Amino acid sequence: MKTGLLLLAALLLLNTNAFAQDKNFYVFLAFGQSNMQGGRTDAQDKGPVDERFRVLAPVDFPELKREKGRWYPAVPPLARPDAGLCPADYFGRTLAARLPANIRIGVINVSVAGCKIELFEKDKYTAYSETAPPWMKNMIASYGGNPYQYLVDMAKLAQKDGVIKGILLHQGESNTNDREWPGKVKGVYDSLLKDLNLKAGEVPLLAGELVNADQNGACASMNAIIQTLPRTIPTAHVISSAGCTALPDRLHFDPAGLREFGKRYGETMMSLLSPQTSASDASDWKPATSNQGGRQYPQVNAEGRVRARIVAPEAQKVLLDIGGVKYPLTKGDDGAWIGDSNPQDEGFHYYQVVIDGAQVPDPSSLYFYGASRWGSGIEIPAKDQDIYAVKNVPHGEMREVRYFSRSSNSVRHCYVYTPPQYDSDPKKRFPVLYLQHGGGEDETGWGSQGRAGLIMDNLIAENKAKPFIIVMENGGGIPRPPAPPAGVPAPPVPPAPTAGAGAVGPGGRVFNFGPFERVLLDDLIPFIDKNYRTAAKQSERAMAGLSMGGMQTRAITLANPAVFSHIGVFSGGSIAPSEISDVTAYKKNVKVMFFSFGGREGGAASAKANADALKAAGINSYYYESPETGHEWQSWRRSLYQFAQLIFKN
């Protein structure tokens, strides 16, 4: 009898968690190396955060007065006192913003900078730790010499309070090109499931890519291996790092990149959580305005969610890939796959569908050139969509033009917008704006995704902007002139580029804008001045661009101050007074300098500071920040709308 009572008491003690657990407290484990441990933190990241988002302190944080094993508001750092912002920060903030108010979110982060995945393998960590450098041994020691077991112990403690809903991983820099990595990760994942009594179907693994090739990532080759992880772990989901900006070391994301990356982790988890946890009850689904004629899908609702429908009766798995997040679709009896995204930012977004691993366009969408391919795009209605709406006003023309470029020895292609007054007043001459697209896009971008023609039509009709011509060329992929046939003399060598081949972009990536500079200055501008009624002088010529096009604008206008008088840099950096060789001459020639960023982008603070410094130096400069947008077309549409109202006014 006594033995039975003792056994019952022991069982009750073991099951105390079942009575203490809050089913509405969602707990997530995070582990990995330096990017998950955390890096540089900006002031905007330090709080306050939603009180529903908590962190379980894995160690003592004396300066923050946090004690190991207790919950605190999730203000960075989350992993260690000497760490900083990490993907788990904006992962949790995204969930707190998306989930109903009765749901709380908790994270536990046990990460070690520089470590291989072997540090978290049960049978490898001892041998690996023995060969680790002293600084890493100190980190390992702070986790009891066994970070894996330390994570398990912290997770068991958290299970007394809440329910583990997922596992976040960011690791791979130290295992770059290790094709056994997916199997090693599976071993760690399986061990966590077993040791914590979890089910794979209820606890997915979210693994993020390393700094992407589009940021010149030092270990970007590893992403091809990371992308295969779902083949080894069916409940694994890979988080894209495309477009997430990095520090100059090309290994670590900068704060803006970490914010975006963490948001993508959060959006992916939202797509995997039970539909009952969604705060969405909007049912006003409508076909997107970016659909092909008569197509009912994709649809959007008032929350900005996207609903896709793909007919693929033989497919085994179909995903909607939008905003760096892949959302699983569900197959119906009719062979069509259907599913929804989480809310998207207002404006235009590229997207694609993934059918059994193949990335393909949605056959119901109009096609747009972006991400270096023709693919699908969708329009999310914006509060200020009136600025680019089709209205009953006089409309200009978007003319498709081909011309010969002597500097590249090729026939090139551009678009020229002429305002409504161009044909109605055959004697009038017009100013010209040379307007450049971003990386991975082409000369179609501003007219199609950017709605540049409609923006100008509406501004001119409202007498908010002076009529001017816009020229849109392809700023990338300038071919080298072919060698002349034998016996034919080589053409004269063109002038050397002055914009510099060493323009540095996000992540330290170096761009060569020299070939485009020569096409622009030696071929395109002379062609436009000869074939269109332009006011062919510096005071009536402007240049602007977005992202890479903004960087081109910055480099080329700085190197050629006698060519352009109005300058617009959208999400492409800014210009400091120290970069201008002769400020006195510059402010006489340059009439407007304009810098802009999306409110969710990095770089805004320095751009505003430079705009203020230029203004103090007597240069007519402006800074604009697009509210609630990131590195996306809505930011750039708004930027053009603002910039166009400032130029050619004096």
PDB file of all heavy atoms in Angstrom, residues 159-194:
ATOM      1  N   GLN A 159       8.651  24.252 -20.301  1.00  0.00           N
ATOM      2  CA  GLN A 159       7.452  23.439 -20.487  1.00  0.00           C
ATOM      3  C   GLN A 159       6.538  23.456 -19.262  1.00  0.00           C
ATOM      4  O   GLN A 159       5.374  23.080 -19.360  1.00  0.00           O
ATOM      5  CB  GLN A 159       7.839  22.000 -20.843  1.00  0.00           C
ATOM      6  CG  GLN A 159       8.288  21.847 -22.288  1.00  0.00           C
ATOM      7  CD  GLN A 159       8.699  20.431 -22.625  1.00  0.00           C
ATOM      8  OE1 GLN A 159       9.504  19.819 -21.925  1.00  0.00           O
ATOM      9  NE2 GLN A 159       8.140  19.896 -23.695  1.00  0.00           N
ATOM     10  N   LYS A 160       7.054  23.882 -18.126  1.00  0.00           N
ATOM     11  CA  LYS A 160       6.190  24.038 -16.959  1.00  0.00           C
ATOM     12  C   LYS A 160       5.233  25.208 -17.135  1.00  0.00           C
ATOM     13  O   LYS A 160       4.184  25.265 -16.505  1.00  0.00           O
ATOM     14  CB  LYS A 160       7.037  24.265 -15.711  1.00  0.00           C
ATOM     15  CG  LYS A 160       7.937  23.093 -15.335  1.00  0.00           C
ATOM     16  CD  LYS A 160       8.769  23.435 -14.102  1.00  0.00           C
ATOM     17  CE  LYS A 160       9.687  22.276 -13.731  1.00  0.00           C
ATOM     18  NZ  LYS A 160      10.529  22.591 -12.542  1.00  0.00           N
ATOM     19  N   ASP A 161       5.626  26.154 -18.024  1.00  0.00           N
ATOM     20  CA  ASP A 161       4.832  27.370 -18.208  1.00  0.00           C
ATOM     21  C   ASP A 161       4.052  27.390 -19.510  1.00  0.00           C
ATOM     22  O   ASP A 161       2.988  28.010 -19.584  1.00  0.00           O
ATOM     23  CB  ASP A 161       5.747  28.591 -18.164  1.00  0.00           C
ATOM     24  CG  ASP A 161       6.525  28.698 -16.865  1.00  0.00           C
ATOM     25  OD1 ASP A 161       5.910  28.531 -15.799  1.00  0.00           O
ATOM     26  OD2 ASP A 161       7.750  28.938 -16.924  1.00  0.00           O
ATOM     27  N   GLY A 162       4.601  26.789 -20.549  1.00  0.00           N
ATOM     28  CA  GLY A 162       3.956  26.885 -21.846  1.00  0.00           C
ATOM     29  C   GLY A 162       4.189  25.659 -22.697  1.00  0.00           C
ATOM     30  O   GLY A 162       4.693  24.633 -22.228  1.00  0.00           O
ATOM     31  N   VAL A 163       3.835  25.773 -23.982  1.00  0.00           N
ATOM     32  CA  VAL A 163       3.880  24.660 -24.929  1.00  0.00           C
ATOM     33  C   VAL A 163       4.880  24.984 -26.028  1.00  0.00           C
ATOM     34  O   VAL A 163       4.798  26.048 -26.659  1.00  0.00           O
ATOM     35  CB  VAL A 163       2.494  24.416 -25.559  1.00  0.00           C
ATOM     36  CG1 VAL A 163       2.547  23.239 -26.522  1.00  0.00           C
ATOM     37  CG2 VAL A 163       1.454  24.183 -24.482  1.00  0.00           C
ATOM     38  N   ILE A 164       5.828  24.093 -26.264  1.00  0.00           N
ATOM     39  CA  ILE A 164       6.821  24.309 -27.316  1.00  0.00           C
ATOM     40  C   ILE A 164       6.159  24.134 -28.675  1.00  0.00           C
ATOM     41  O   ILE A 164       5.588  23.080 -28.967  1.00  0.00           O
ATOM     42  CB  ILE A 164       8.016  23.366 -27.152  1.00  0.00           C
ATOM     43  CG1 ILE A 164       8.758  23.680 -25.843  1.00  0.00           C
ATOM     44  CG2 ILE A 164       8.974  23.497 -28.342  1.00  0.00           C
ATOM     45  CD1 ILE A 164       9.882  22.731 -25.525  1.00  0.00           C
ATOM     46  N   LYS A 165       6.263  25.167 -29.505  1.00  0.00           N
ATOM     47  CA  LYS A 165       5.574  25.177 -30.793  1.00  0.00           C
ATOM     48  C   LYS A 165       6.514  25.146 -31.994  1.00  0.00           C
ATOM     49  O   LYS A 165       6.052  24.979 -33.125  1.00  0.00           O
ATOM     50  CB  LYS A 165       4.698  26.434 -30.895  1.00  0.00           C
ATOM     51  CG  LYS A 165       3.464  26.421 -30.007  1.00  0.00           C
ATOM     52  CD  LYS A 165       2.396  25.502 -30.572  1.00  0.00           C
ATOM     53  CE  LYS A 165       1.085  25.648 -29.836  1.00  0.00           C
ATOM     54  NZ  LYS A 165       0.015  24.824 -30.454  1.00  0.00           N
ATOM     55  N   GLY A 166       7.811  25.326 -31.768  1.00  0.00           N
ATOM     56  CA  GLY A 166       8.718  25.330 -32.907  1.00  0.00           C
ATOM     57  C   GLY A 166      10.160  25.515 -32.474  1.00  0.00           C
ATOM     58  O   GLY A 166      10.445  25.861 -31.320  1.00  0.00           O
ATOM     59  N   ILE A 167      11.057  25.256 -33.421  1.00  0.00           N
ATOM     60  CA  ILE A 167      12.497  25.359 -33.174  1.00  0.00           C
ATOM     61  C   ILE A 167      13.108  26.206 -34.280  1.00  0.00           C
ATOM     62  O   ILE A 167      12.870  25.957 -35.471  1.00  0.00           O
ATOM     63  CB  ILE A 167      13.150  23.962 -33.142  1.00  0.00           C
ATOM     64  CG1 ILE A 167      12.525  23.112 -32.027  1.00  0.00           C
ATOM     65  CG2 ILE A 167      14.658  24.077 -32.945  1.00  0.00           C
ATOM     66  CD1 ILE A 167      12.950  21.656 -32.048  1.00  0.00           C
ATOM     67  N   LEU A 168      13.894  27.203 -33.891  1.00  0.00           N
ATOM     68  CA  LEU A 168      14.548  28.095 -34.844  1.00  0.00           C
ATOM     69  C   LEU A 168      16.041  27.797 -34.883  1.00  0.00           C
ATOM     70  O   LEU A 168      16.686  27.681 -33.841  1.00  0.00           O
ATOM     71  CB  LEU A 168      14.356  29.562 -34.440  1.00  0.00           C
ATOM     72  CG  LEU A 168      12.972  30.009 -33.985  1.00  0.00           C
ATOM     73  CD1 LEU A 168      12.991  31.508 -33.667  1.00  0.00           C
ATOM     74  CD2 LEU A 168      11.921  29.692 -35.019  1.00  0.00           C
ATOM     75  N   LEU A 169      16.577  27.691 -36.085  1.00  0.00           N
ATOM     76  CA  LEU A 169      18.002  27.412 -36.271  1.00  0.00           C
ATOM     77  C   LEU A 169      18.594  28.418 -37.242  1.00  0.00           C
ATOM     78  O   LEU A 169      18.006  28.718 -38.280  1.00  0.00           O
ATOM     79  CB  LEU A 169      18.189  25.991 -36.823  1.00  0.00           C
ATOM     80  CG  LEU A 169      19.592  25.632 -37.340  1.00  0.00           C
ATOM     81  CD1 LEU A 169      20.603  25.585 -36.197  1.00  0.00           C
ATOM     82  CD2 LEU A 169      19.566  24.290 -38.075  1.00  0.00           C
ATOM     83  N   HIS A 170      19.769  28.954 -36.879  1.00  0.00           N
ATOM     84  CA  HIS A 170      20.586  29.643 -37.873  1.00  0.00           C
ATOM     85  C   HIS A 170      22.029  29.261 -37.634  1.00  0.00           C
ATOM     86  O   HIS A 170      22.655  29.674 -36.666  1.00  0.00           O
ATOM     87  CB  HIS A 170      20.448  31.166 -37.832  1.00  0.00           C
ATOM     88  CG  HIS A 170      21.081  31.780 -39.048  1.00  0.00           C
ATOM     89  ND1 HIS A 170      22.419  32.095 -39.106  1.00  0.00           N
ATOM     90  CD2 HIS A 170      20.569  32.054 -40.269  1.00  0.00           C
ATOM     91  CE1 HIS A 170      22.697  32.563 -40.316  1.00  0.00           C
ATOM     92  NE2 HIS A 170      21.586  32.551 -41.041  1.00  0.00           N
ATOM     93  N   GLN A 171      22.539  28.445 -38.538  1.00  0.00           N
ATOM     94  CA  GLN A 171      23.894  27.914 -38.400  1.00  0.00           C
ATOM     95  C   GLN A 171      24.337  27.439 -39.768  1.00  0.00           C
ATOM     96  O   GLN A 171      23.514  27.094 -40.603  1.00  0.00           O
ATOM     97  CB  GLN A 171      23.904  26.767 -37.376  1.00  0.00           C
ATOM     98  CG  GLN A 171      25.273  26.332 -36.866  1.00  0.00           C
ATOM     99  CD  GLN A 171      26.001  25.407 -37.852  1.00  0.00           C
ATOM    100  OE1 GLN A 171      25.364  24.674 -38.608  1.00  0.00           O
ATOM    101  NE2 GLN A 171      27.316  25.446 -37.852  1.00  0.00           N
ATOM    102  N   GLY A 172      25.631  27.418 -39.998  1.00  0.00           N
ATOM    103  CA  GLY A 172      26.115  26.894 -41.267  1.00  0.00           C
ATOM    104  C   GLY A 172      27.377  27.549 -41.774  1.00  0.00           C
ATOM    105  O   GLY A 172      28.100  26.955 -42.583  1.00  0.00           O
ATOM    106  N   GLU A 173      27.674  28.757 -41.299  1.00  0.00           N
ATOM    107  CA  GLU A 173      28.894  29.417 -41.763  1.00  0.00           C
ATOM    108  C   GLU A 173      30.121  28.549 -41.496  1.00  0.00           C
ATOM    109  O   GLU A 173      31.015  28.439 -42.347  1.00  0.00           O
ATOM    110  CB  GLU A 173      29.065  30.780 -41.072  1.00  0.00           C
ATOM    111  CG  GLU A 173      28.051  31.827 -41.498  1.00  0.00           C
ATOM    112  CD  GLU A 173      26.805  31.839 -40.634  1.00  0.00           C
ATOM    113  OE1 GLU A 173      26.619  30.882 -39.845  1.00  0.00           O
ATOM    114  OE2 GLU A 173      26.012  32.779 -40.748  1.00  0.00           O
ATOM    115  N   SER A 174      30.157  27.925 -40.316  1.00  0.00           N
ATOM    116  CA  SER A 174      31.317  27.088 -39.962  1.00  0.00           C
ATOM    117  C   SER A 174      31.242  25.694 -40.572  1.00  0.00           C
ATOM    118  O   SER A 174      32.180  24.910 -40.437  1.00  0.00           O
ATOM    119  CB  SER A 174      31.441  26.980 -38.434  1.00  0.00           C
ATOM    120  OG  SER A 174      31.716  28.249 -37.878  1.00  0.00           O
ATOM    121  N   ASN A 175      30.130  25.373 -41.224  1.00  0.00           N
ATOM    122  CA  ASN A 175      29.986  24.089 -41.924  1.00  0.00           C
ATOM    123  C   ASN A 175      29.838  24.287 -43.422  1.00  0.00           C
ATOM    124  O   ASN A 175      29.326  23.407 -44.117  1.00  0.00           O
ATOM    125  CB  ASN A 175      28.760  23.334 -41.405  1.00  0.00           C
ATOM    126  CG  ASN A 175      28.959  22.737 -40.037  1.00  0.00           C
ATOM    127  OD1 ASN A 175      28.769  23.408 -39.030  1.00  0.00           O
ATOM    128  ND2 ASN A 175      29.348  21.469 -39.968  1.00  0.00           N
ATOM    129  N   THR A 176      30.275  25.438 -43.932  1.00  0.00           N
ATOM    130  CA  THR A 176      30.067  25.746 -45.344  1.00  0.00           C
ATOM    131  C   THR A 176      30.574  24.624 -46.248  1.00  0.00           C
ATOM    132  O   THR A 176      31.684  24.111 -46.070  1.00  0.00           O
ATOM    133  CB  THR A 176      30.757  27.072 -45.704  1.00  0.00           C
ATOM    134  OG1 THR A 176      30.138  28.113 -44.945  1.00  0.00           O
ATOM    135  CG2 THR A 176      30.618  27.391 -47.182  1.00  0.00           C
ATOM    136  N   ASN A 177      29.708  24.248 -47.197  1.00  0.00           N
ATOM    137  CA  ASN A 177      29.972  23.195 -48.195  1.00  0.00           C
ATOM    138  C   ASN A 177      30.019  21.793 -47.589  1.00  0.00           C
ATOM    139  O   ASN A 177      30.473  20.851 -48.255  1.00  0.00           O
ATOM    140  CB  ASN A 177      31.262  23.488 -48.976  1.00  0.00           C
ATOM    141  CG  ASN A 177      31.179  24.794 -49.745  1.00  0.00           C
ATOM    142  OD1 ASN A 177      30.109  25.161 -50.245  1.00  0.00           O
ATOM    143  ND2 ASN A 177      32.284  25.517 -49.836  1.00  0.00           N
ATOM    144  N   ASP A 178      29.541  21.636 -46.363  1.00  0.00           N
ATOM    145  CA  ASP A 178      29.450  20.320 -45.721  1.00  0.00           C
ATOM    146  C   ASP A 178      28.136  19.662 -46.149  1.00  0.00           C
ATOM    147  O   ASP A 178      27.066  19.995 -45.637  1.00  0.00           O
ATOM    148  CB  ASP A 178      29.500  20.491 -44.200  1.00  0.00           C
ATOM    149  CG  ASP A 178      29.383  19.163 -43.453  1.00  0.00           C
ATOM    150  OD1 ASP A 178      29.260  18.110 -44.107  1.00  0.00           O
ATOM    151  OD2 ASP A 178      29.400  19.198 -42.202  1.00  0.00           O
ATOM    152  N   ARG A 179      28.218  18.733 -47.073  1.00  0.00           N
ATOM    153  CA  ARG A 179      27.011  18.103 -47.603  1.00  0.00           C
ATOM    154  C   ARG A 179      26.356  17.150 -46.612  1.00  0.00           C
ATOM    155  O   ARG A 179      25.236  16.693 -46.828  1.00  0.00           O
ATOM    156  CB  ARG A 179      27.326  17.383 -48.920  1.00  0.00           C
ATOM    157  CG  ARG A 179      27.790  18.352 -49.998  1.00  0.00           C
ATOM    158  CD  ARG A 179      27.768  17.754 -51.386  1.00  0.00           C
ATOM    159  NE  ARG A 179      28.093  18.759 -52.393  1.00  0.00           N
ATOM    160  CZ  ARG A 179      27.219  19.626 -52.889  1.00  0.00           C
ATOM    161  NH1 ARG A 179      25.960  19.590 -52.487  1.00  0.00           N
ATOM    162  NH2 ARG A 179      27.587  20.516 -53.794  1.00  0.00           N
ATOM    163  N   GLU A 180      27.046  16.853 -45.517  1.00  0.00           N
ATOM    164  CA  GLU A 180      26.455  16.028 -44.466  1.00  0.00           C
ATOM    165  C   GLU A 180      25.664  16.872 -43.471  1.00  0.00           C
ATOM    166  O   GLU A 180      25.048  16.334 -42.552  1.00  0.00           O
ATOM    167  CB  GLU A 180      27.561  15.260 -43.728  1.00  0.00           C
ATOM    168  CG  GLU A 180      28.420  14.361 -44.621  1.00  0.00           C
ATOM    169  CD  GLU A 180      27.578  13.320 -45.346  1.00  0.00           C
ATOM    170  OE1 GLU A 180      26.692  12.722 -44.689  1.00  0.00           O
ATOM    171  OE2 GLU A 180      27.802  13.118 -46.552  1.00  0.00           O
ATOM    172  N   TRP A 181      25.688  18.186 -43.648  1.00  0.00           N
ATOM    173  CA  TRP A 181      25.040  19.086 -42.693  1.00  0.00           C
ATOM    174  C   TRP A 181      23.558  18.777 -42.480  1.00  0.00           C
ATOM    175  O   TRP A 181      23.105  18.720 -41.331  1.00  0.00           O
ATOM    176  CB  TRP A 181      25.243  20.532 -43.150  1.00  0.00           C
ATOM    177  CG  TRP A 181      24.690  21.582 -42.229  1.00  0.00           C
ATOM    178  CD1 TRP A 181      25.299  22.139 -41.141  1.00  0.00           C
ATOM    179  CD2 TRP A 181      23.420  22.228 -42.346  1.00  0.00           C
ATOM    180  NE1 TRP A 181      24.483  23.083 -40.564  1.00  0.00           N
ATOM    181  CE2 TRP A 181      23.315  23.162 -41.284  1.00  0.00           C
ATOM    182  CE3 TRP A 181      22.338  22.112 -43.232  1.00  0.00           C
ATOM    183  CZ2 TRP A 181      22.195  23.965 -41.096  1.00  0.00           C
ATOM    184  CZ3 TRP A 181      21.221  22.917 -43.049  1.00  0.00           C
ATOM    185  CH2 TRP A 181      21.154  23.823 -41.996  1.00  0.00           C
ATOM    186  N   PRO A 182      22.752  18.561 -43.534  1.00  0.00           N
ATOM    187  CA  PRO A 182      21.334  18.271 -43.287  1.00  0.00           C
ATOM    188  C   PRO A 182      21.129  17.049 -42.392  1.00  0.00           C
ATOM    189  O   PRO A 182      20.257  17.063 -41.512  1.00  0.00           O
ATOM    190  CB  PRO A 182      20.767  18.038 -44.695  1.00  0.00           C
ATOM    191  CG  PRO A 182      21.663  18.832 -45.589  1.00  0.00           C
ATOM    192  CD  PRO A 182      23.028  18.664 -44.992  1.00  0.00           C
ATOM    193  N   GLY A 183      21.935  16.000 -42.586  1.00  0.00           N
ATOM    194  CA  GLY A 183      21.810  14.817 -41.740  1.00  0.00           C
ATOM    195  C   GLY A 183      22.203  15.109 -40.296  1.00  0.00           C
ATOM    196  O   GLY A 183      21.590  14.572 -39.353  1.00  0.00           O
ATOM    197  N   LYS A 184      23.211  15.943 -40.113  1.00  0.00           N
ATOM    198  CA  LYS A 184      23.621  16.308 -38.749  1.00  0.00           C
ATOM    199  C   LYS A 184      22.522  17.118 -38.058  1.00  0.00           C
ATOM    200  O   LYS A 184      22.236  16.915 -36.871  1.00  0.00           O
ATOM    201  CB  LYS A 184      24.931  17.093 -38.799  1.00  0.00           C
ATOM    202  CG  LYS A 184      26.113  16.287 -39.325  1.00  0.00           C
ATOM    203  CD  LYS A 184      27.353  17.161 -39.516  1.00  0.00           C
ATOM    204  CE  LYS A 184      28.507  16.358 -40.110  1.00  0.00           C
ATOM    205  NZ  LYS A 184      29.709  17.188 -40.362  1.00  0.00           N
ATOM    206  N   VAL A 185      21.921  18.043 -38.803  1.00  0.00           N
ATOM    207  CA  VAL A 185      20.821  18.826 -38.236  1.00  0.00           C
ATOM    208  C   VAL A 185      19.658  17.909 -37.871  1.00  0.00           C
ATOM    209  O   VAL A 185      19.028  18.075 -36.818  1.00  0.00           O
ATOM    210  CB  VAL A 185      20.367  19.921 -39.227  1.00  0.00           C
ATOM    211  CG1 VAL A 185      19.098  20.607 -38.728  1.00  0.00           C
ATOM    212  CG2 VAL A 185      21.473  20.944 -39.425  1.00  0.00           C
ATOM    213  N   LYS A 186      19.389  16.929 -38.722  1.00  0.00           N
ATOM    214  CA  LYS A 186      18.298  15.989 -38.419  1.00  0.00           C
ATOM    215  C   LYS A 186      18.563  15.253 -37.113  1.00  0.00           C
ATOM    216  O   LYS A 186      17.650  15.034 -36.301  1.00  0.00           O
ATOM    217  CB  LYS A 186      18.124  14.983 -39.554  1.00  0.00           C
ATOM    218  CG  LYS A 186      16.954  14.016 -39.339  1.00  0.00           C
ATOM    219  CD  LYS A 186      16.789  13.064 -40.514  1.00  0.00           C
ATOM    220  CE  LYS A 186      15.522  12.240 -40.372  1.00  0.00           C
ATOM    221  NZ  LYS A 186      15.480  11.435 -39.140  1.00  0.00           N
ATOM    222  N   GLY A 187      19.819  14.880 -36.880  1.00  0.00           N
ATOM    223  CA  GLY A 187      20.150  14.192 -35.644  1.00  0.00           C
ATOM    224  C   GLY A 187      19.872  15.056 -34.426  1.00  0.00           C
ATOM    225  O   GLY A 187      19.321  14.582 -33.417  1.00  0.00           O
ATOM    226  N   VAL A 188      20.213  16.348 -34.507  1.00  0.00           N
ATOM    227  CA  VAL A 188      19.961  17.258 -33.386  1.00  0.00           C
ATOM    228  C   VAL A 188      18.458  17.462 -33.205  1.00  0.00           C
ATOM    229  O   VAL A 188      17.939  17.424 -32.077  1.00  0.00           O
ATOM    230  CB  VAL A 188      20.663  18.610 -33.624  1.00  0.00           C
ATOM    231  CG1 VAL A 188      20.343  19.584 -32.487  1.00  0.00           C
ATOM    232  CG2 VAL A 188      22.162  18.426 -33.757  1.00  0.00           C
ATOM    233  N   TYR A 189      17.751  17.662 -34.303  1.00  0.00           N
ATOM    234  CA  TYR A 189      16.296  17.870 -34.257  1.00  0.00           C
ATOM    235  C   TYR A 189      15.592  16.655 -33.660  1.00  0.00           C
ATOM    236  O   TYR A 189      14.744  16.779 -32.760  1.00  0.00           O
ATOM    237  CB  TYR A 189      15.803  18.157 -35.668  1.00  0.00           C
ATOM    238  CG  TYR A 189      14.309  18.334 -35.826  1.00  0.00           C
ATOM    239  CD1 TYR A 189      13.633  19.371 -35.192  1.00  0.00           C
ATOM    240  CD2 TYR A 189      13.584  17.483 -36.654  1.00  0.00           C
ATOM    241  CE1 TYR A 189      12.265  19.551 -35.377  1.00  0.00           C
ATOM    242  CE2 TYR A 189      12.218  17.648 -36.841  1.00  0.00           C
ATOM    243  CZ  TYR A 189      11.557  18.686 -36.198  1.00  0.00           C
ATOM    244  OH  TYR A 189      10.206  18.861 -36.385  1.00  0.00           O
ATOM    245  N   ASP A 190      15.961  15.464 -34.133  1.00  0.00           N
ATOM    246  CA  ASP A 190      15.337  14.239 -33.609  1.00  0.00           C
ATOM    247  C   ASP A 190      15.619  14.078 -32.120  1.00  0.00           C
ATOM    248  O   ASP A 190      14.747  13.638 -31.351  1.00  0.00           O
ATOM    249  CB  ASP A 190      15.843  13.020 -34.380  1.00  0.00           C
ATOM    250  CG  ASP A 190      15.300  12.951 -35.806  1.00  0.00           C
ATOM    251  OD1 ASP A 190      14.353  13.696 -36.103  1.00  0.00           O
ATOM    252  OD2 ASP A 190      15.844  12.171 -36.604  1.00  0.00           O
ATOM    253  N   SER A 191      16.830  14.424 -31.700  1.00  0.00           N
ATOM    254  CA  SER A 191      17.174  14.314 -30.275  1.00  0.00           C
ATOM    255  C   SER A 191      16.335  15.273 -29.436  1.00  0.00           C
ATOM    256  O   SER A 191      15.857  14.913 -28.348  1.00  0.00           O
ATOM    257  CB  SER A 191      18.665  14.598 -30.068  1.00  0.00           C
ATOM    258  OG  SER A 191      19.464  13.600 -30.668  1.00  0.00           O
ATOM    259  N   LEU A 192      16.140  16.485 -29.931  1.00  0.00           N
ATOM    260  CA  LEU A 192      15.316  17.445 -29.193  1.00  0.00           C
ATOM    261  C   LEU A 192      13.882  16.946 -29.067  1.00  0.00           C
ATOM    262  O   LEU A 192      13.269  17.051 -27.993  1.00  0.00           O
ATOM    263  CB  LEU A 192      15.342  18.804 -29.900  1.00  0.00           C
ATOM    264  CG  LEU A 192      16.633  19.618 -29.777  1.00  0.00           C
ATOM    265  CD1 LEU A 192      16.596  20.829 -30.714  1.00  0.00           C
ATOM    266  CD2 LEU A 192      16.857  20.074 -28.339  1.00  0.00           C
ATOM    267  N   LEU A 193      13.353  16.410 -30.156  1.00  0.00           N
ATOM    268  CA  LEU A 193      11.990  15.882 -30.102  1.00  0.00           C
ATOM    269  C   LEU A 193      11.877  14.760 -29.074  1.00  0.00           C
ATOM    270  O   LEU A 193      10.937  14.724 -28.257  1.00  0.00           O
ATOM    271  CB  LEU A 193      11.557  15.379 -31.482  1.00  0.00           C
ATOM    272  CG  LEU A 193      11.468  16.415 -32.608  1.00  0.00           C
ATOM    273  CD1 LEU A 193      11.073  15.742 -33.912  1.00  0.00           C
ATOM    274  CD2 LEU A 193      10.472  17.524 -32.271  1.00  0.00           C
ATOM    275  N   LYS A 194      12.841  13.852 -29.086  1.00  0.00           N
ATOM    276  CA  LYS A 194      12.802  12.715 -28.167  1.00  0.00           C
ATOM    277  C   LYS A 194      12.991  13.162 -26.721  1.00  0.00           C
ATOM    278  O   LYS A 194      12.227  12.753 -25.832  1.00  0.00           O
ATOM    279  CB  LYS A 194      13.882  11.703 -28.553  1.00  0.00           C
ATOM    280  CG  LYS A 194      13.918  10.468 -27.654  1.00  0.00           C
ATOM    281  CD  LYS A 194      15.004   9.501 -28.098  1.00  0.00           C
ATOM    282  CE  LYS A 194      15.060   8.278 -27.172  1.00  0.00           C
ATOM    283  NZ  LYS A 194      16.142   7.338 -27.584  1.00  0.00           N
TER     284      LYS A 194
END
